[in-house]
Amino acid sequence: MVASSCCVLPLALAGLGVTGAVFSGLAFLADIRPFLIVGAAAMLALGWAFFFWRRRRARCDGDSCARPERSGRMFGLLGFGSLIVGLALVWGPYVEPALLRLAR
């Protein structure tokens, strides 16, 4: 199913009226790209800080008390977000020129 998305997805978007003209309206985002990356990195840093340094309080329900565990899902999402922001940081100066050299 994923392999056919390269053909079906563009046809479906064109059928819905989503064409290059719609995406050309997003060109203004290229001008503010550094601010968006800095904002995303700041929010990720805040998320990691909350993940590691939040106060751990024992939850007591009746006679039993248990320490809360860190969520594996949250760790995965923060890691994935960090990977995406890191890729955005190195894409322009390093990855894109290397890919263009390979394409020639």
Side-chain angles (χ1 to χ4, degrees), residues 19-93:
T19 61
V22 172
F23 295 117
S24 68
L26 300 176
F28 73 94
L29 291 176
D31 297 335
I32 60 172
R33 182 176 182 260
F35 299 112
L36 293 174
I37 291 175
V38 167
M43 291 298 111
L44 276 170
L46 189 63
W48 281 112
F50 282 141
F51 182 76
F52 284 115
W53 292 300
R54 68 179 176 173
R55 289 182 73 182
R56 301 231 170 240
R57 294 184 195 163
R59 293 185 185 175
C60 296
D61 295 330
D63 294 333
S64 65
C65 291
R67 291 191 68 176
E69 295 294 322
R70 289 191 177 114
S71 170
R73 183 183 302 165
M74 185 59 64
F75 182 78
L77 287 173
L78 284 170
F80 182 69
S82 298
L83 179 72
I84 295 297
V85 170
L87 184 61
L89 282 171
V90 299
W91 187 265

